[in-house]
Amino acid sequence: DAGVIQSPRHEVTEMGQEVTLRCKPISGHDYLFWYRQTMMRGLELLIYFNNNVPIDDSGMPEDRFSAKMPNASFSTLKIQPSEPRDSAVYFCASRLNPESEQFFGPGTRLTVL
Amino acid sequence: GESVGLHLPTLSVQEGDNSIINCAYSNSASDYFIWYKQESGKGPQFIIDIRSNMDKRQGQRVTVLLNKTVKHLSLQIAATQPGDSAVYFCAENWGTSYGKLTFGQGTILTVHP
């Protein structure tokens, strides 16, 4: 198994631009998670899905952030418009069920200039 | 004003020593716990897990201890190696009705040759 796949691995953009991060979870995993990691705030859960349905989006910073999961093998996290304070590493993770381990992707390092 | 980042606990050990990393978890109803290791530039990686019906579990060179009375989790690494240098996170699952893990802030382990 290839594990959780994220793209791009690095993204540099200018303030105001739209950014789309992509994730392919491990096949068969029912749960998908989006995290943000910064030196200031550590690892923060933004949103998670169960069977493609958003369950908890309380960690999404504001309306500029949106996440979708159109099918079991793909999810996107979109920031529009992006701001310099959005610069962080964004991780996607997936999990089979609440009694199993959670696997993280390699992350996308986002820099907003 | 000057920004302040997270002040993670740190542990420095000599190669070959045993390391103990501690974690206080928040929810007495949590039933599943995981330790993750995060190396620089990578996503968190699963190390070992333990369920709430156990108080000890051993892996290869690692042991996790669970004390539910005081809501404390520890990770012991035997014969610590330079490759063990990383940030270590504990995570708790609040029960099978919750799909998400709650992560601690992390501990920085530095192993000196």
Side-chain angles (χ1 to χ4, degrees), chain B residues 2 4 7 9 11 14 18 20 24-25 27-28 30-31 36 41 43 47-48 59 63 67 70-72 75 84 91 112:
Chain B
E2 184 176 337
V4 179
H7 291 285
L11 176 64
Q14 292 295 129
N18 296 331
I20 300 176
Y25 63 91
N27 190 343
S28 56
S30 293
D31 61 357
Y36 284 90
I47 302 174
I48 191 168
T63 301
N67 184 332
V70 294
K71 292 191 290 185
H72 184 266
L75 177 70
D84 295 327
H112 300 282

Side-chain angles (χ1 to χ4, degrees), chain A residues 8-30:
Chain A
R9 294 294 310 278
H10 302 272
E11 176 81 31
V12 180
T13 191
E14 292 187 344
M15 183 174 65
Q17 295 299 305
E18 178 180 296
V19 174
T20 300
L21 310 182
R22 297 173 176 81
C23 175
K24 178 177 170 28
I26 293 174
S27 177
H29 281 194
D30 289 339

Side-chain angles (χ1 to χ4, degrees), chain B residues 78-99:
Chain B
T80 316
Q81 303 167 359
D84 295 327
S85 295
V87 179
Y88 288 81
F89 294 94
C90 66
E92 60 182 302
N93 200 108
W94 286 11
T96 55
S97 62
Y98 294 89

